[in-house]
Amino acid sequence: MPTRARRGALAVLCLLLACASQARASVGDVVTLDGPAPELLELGGVAMAADGTGGLVYRRVDDGHPHVFAARFDGRRWHPPQRVDAGQRFDSAWPCIGAAGGGRLVVAWAQDGGDGLDSLWAAALPRGRGRFLAPTLVDFTIGEDRATYPSIATSPAGAALLTYRVIRSFANPTLPAGYVAGEVRLARFDGSRWQRLGVPANRDRAAPQRFPRAENAPRVALDASGNGAVAWSEPDDDFVDRVWVRRVFGTRLGVPLAASPLRADGRLVRGAADAFDVAENDLGRVVVAFRQLPDPGDPAGAPRVYVNELQDAESGSGTRFDGPELVAAGAVGVPGVTLAGRDDALLAFARGGAAALAYRPAPGPFALADLDSPALPAPAPLAVAGASGRNVLAAATEGGGGEVAVQELDATTTLSARPLYTAFGGAVRELALAGSGAGDALVAFAQGADGDRQIAAAVVDAPPAPFALTPSSWSRARRPRLSWSAASDVLGPVTYVVWVDGRPVARTRATRFAFPRGALAQGAHRVRVVAHDGAGQRTVAGTARLRLDRAGRSRVTVRR
């Protein structure tokens, strides 16, 4: 048993803590960024960088015209919205947003210039700046912006890839019913200027396209190097709508690859792929999720959700898809896909009035999980993947007259959940979700009727990342040392509490601790380290055994 002197020294040197309480829910409070106001229009999107910074974009009527506004998140709090399309006098539409580290944001939108004279613009918020730079022209020949549907992706280094529709004709008697004439274009941002790619992404520029909707709008994704992929919908030679993908290398396009199947079992697949999403990890692995409609001649057929993968250069050739994998069938909604780390992949979609998830933590098939959480088919439920299964789900529901149900997940198991709603409530009109890749997320939504619509957001703060104690060699030191790996936390600093024999003895921000001389008695001691974040969440490292034998040796061994 320790002597009175040793107990006194330990009490003076170490901060004795009360028993650690249970971690609070990591889904933060709702922050209303604008409204309620009749001038508010739709939410355009939300973005989050790997360092926890990000922002959202929306439209609001100002001086009699719809204009683009953005609110930035600095990793701790939301800043007041600011107008992005400064100096532009006419109607702005189709806002989208991307985020890179250091608080950098890039916003793109369409500006009305008259019949057939609309243009595409963008503005950037550089590192360390509080306001967006003046708008920059991206493309002045987008025709009529009735169906631009832009999609933007950013790399950690600040590069961006933008895709959008340019419709040449919405009503042409030479086209089949339900089709338009147009093309899918791309533009790149290198951090300072935009450059439009010289050729469209379409496989066949003369082929008509299905009438534009959000579900069949083109999508882009980027890897860590700044190369990316674009996915779009286009009829094949048999005039069946398929999902196509091209890799993007700088300002060059790869060959078009069919992500949705053209043939199966030696027969033509006559069902169209009518909704899709694309994601790419840092190494260049591309995953496409799509909804396949049944064969028009099969009255008993049902829609199905598939995924298809294009391997990165290290894992495979990267020149052809592996082949579609069936995830779910039945009353399935629009699928969304996100990736984290090397292999983590997560799909979310509505299924039979509830949210469904398909998760894959390692190479292999996706595992489907039907959640009990109700979910409206529109806006579709969304999920973002985080490393080591730290996932987040957001789904609009009719609960309480309208709310967004947010869940923090361990793979597909709910760890914490919270309904989100604004002060005035009402139906959820739009929903957006973006993640850091480490389990943190920004949730943004528009709620309420046209006369009292509100733009709101909340933050999902993941607990500190898993970490481990580092075994030490035998030592005869009078002051034994303990060290551990860092438990990273995107949204704030981490404090470590060292426990010895069930008692807290020290609190530190460092990843090592030297016990004071005489603080520990001779013999064996149980040691553990607990990482705490600012939200009260904690992550525990493995228990270690500290043996003190000053006549011989001491060591730390870790039990896995």
Side-chain angles (χ1 to χ4, degrees), residues 39-131:
E39 295 83 10
L40 284 177
L41 302 176
E42 80 280 359
L43 174 72
V46 67
M48 189 178 198
D51 66 353
T53 59
L56 63 79
V57 67
Y58 63 98
R59 288 201 307 158
R60 179 187 176 110
V61 175
D62 187 34
D63 295 331
H65 293 277
H67 289 290
V68 177
F69 288 77
R72 66 185 181 94
F73 180 72
D74 64 8
R76 299 181 303 277
R77 66 184 181 93
W78 288 95
H79 290 253
Q82 58 181 285
R83 184 172 159 182
V84 179
D85 59 347
Q88 295 187 333
R89 297 180 299 158
F90 305 113
D91 293 358
S92 293
W94 303 107
C96 60
I97 187 170
R104 290 171 290 179
L105 298 174
V106 59
V107 173
W109 68 93
Q111 170 74 188
D112 187 6
D115 291 343
L117 299 175
D118 300 339
S119 53
L120 197 68
W121 294 75
L125 179 69
R127 186 192 303 270
R129 296 286 293 268
R131 299 199 65 83

Side-chain angles (χ1 to χ4, degrees), residues 63-424:
D63 295 331
H65 293 277
H67 289 290
V68 177
F69 288 77
R72 66 185 181 94
F73 180 72
D74 64 8
R76 299 181 303 277
R77 66 184 181 93
W78 288 95
H79 290 253
Q82 58 181 285
R83 184 172 159 182
V84 179
D85 59 347
Q88 295 187 333
R89 297 180 299 158
F90 305 113
D91 293 358
S92 293
W94 303 107
C96 60
I97 187 170
R104 290 171 290 179
L105 298 174
V106 59
V107 173
W109 68 93
Q111 170 74 188
D112 187 6
D115 291 343
L117 299 175
D118 300 339
S119 53
L120 197 68
W121 294 75
L125 179 69
R127 186 192 303 270
R129 296 286 293 268
R131 299 199 65 83
F132 280 84
L133 301 179
T136 299
L137 181 64
V138 178
D139 189 341
F140 64 91
T141 60
I142 68 171
E144 186 63 40
D145 70 352
R146 286 168 48 191
T148 308
Y149 288 104
S151 169
I152 193 169
T154 51
S155 73
L161 184 63
L162 176 69
T163 187
Y164 51 99
R165 287 188 188 274
V166 176
I167 305 301
R168 297 188 297 269
S169 175
F170 284 92
N172 190 327
T174 65
L175 297 179
Y179 285 83
V180 299
E183 61 189 34
V184 175
R185 291 184 184 173
L186 292 158
R188 288 195 68 97
F189 181 63
D190 63 6
S192 60
R193 67 185 184 91
W194 284 92
Q195 180 181 4
R196 201 187 108 192
L197 274 66
V199 295
N202 306 67
R203 184 181 65 100
D204 181 0
R205 296 181 63 179
Q209 300 177 36
R210 182 72 69 173
F211 194 88
R213 296 177 292 110
E215 293 84 353
N216 62 21
R219 306 280 199 276
V220 287
L222 276 181
D223 62 19
S225 70
N227 293 324
V230 56
W232 75 98
S233 175
E234 183 182 328
D236 65 2
D237 295 339
D238 296 294
F239 212 71
V240 180
D241 293 335
R242 312 292 189 194
V243 178
W244 303 86
V245 171
R246 285 184 191 259
R247 287 194 183 273
V248 183
F249 307 97
T251 57
R252 296 182 297 109
L253 288 174
V255 298
L257 304 172
S260 59
L262 280 65
R263 310 188 73 84
D265 300 326
R267 295 181 299 176
L268 176 68
V269 176
R270 298 188 178 278
D274 73 329
F276 61 93
D277 194 18
V278 64
E280 185 170 7
N281 69 5
D282 287 344
L283 299 176
R285 175 175 294 183
V286 178
V287 177
V288 178
F290 59 93
R291 181 174 62 185
Q292 183 82 40
L293 299 181
D295 190 315
D298 181 8
R304 299 184 175 191
V305 169
Y306 288 90
V307 292
N308 209 346
E309 293 192 55
L310 190 61
Q311 299 295 328
D312 58 75
E314 293 185 8
S315 300
S317 64
T319 59
R320 64 177 183 178
F321 278 93
D322 294 344
E325 174 189 341
L326 177 63
V327 174
V332 292
V334 176
V337 60
T338 61
L339 307 178
R342 184 182 182 92
D343 298 306
D344 282 35
L346 184 68
L347 271 68
F349 50 93
R351 188 187 191 204
L357 291 175
Y359 177 59
R360 187 202 60 194
F366 283 78
L368 179 64
D370 286 309
L371 305 180
D372 294 333
S373 305
L376 298 175
L382 303 171
V384 289
S388 303
R390 297 145 66 92
N391 305 324
V392 177
L393 171 72
T397 78
E398 294 178 339
E403 65 185 22
V404 176
V406 178
Q407 299 182 33
E408 184 186 18
L409 306 167
D410 177 9
T412 57
T413 301
T414 301
L415 298 179
S416 64
R418 184 174 183 180
L420 304 180
Y421 43 85
T422 57
F424 284 77

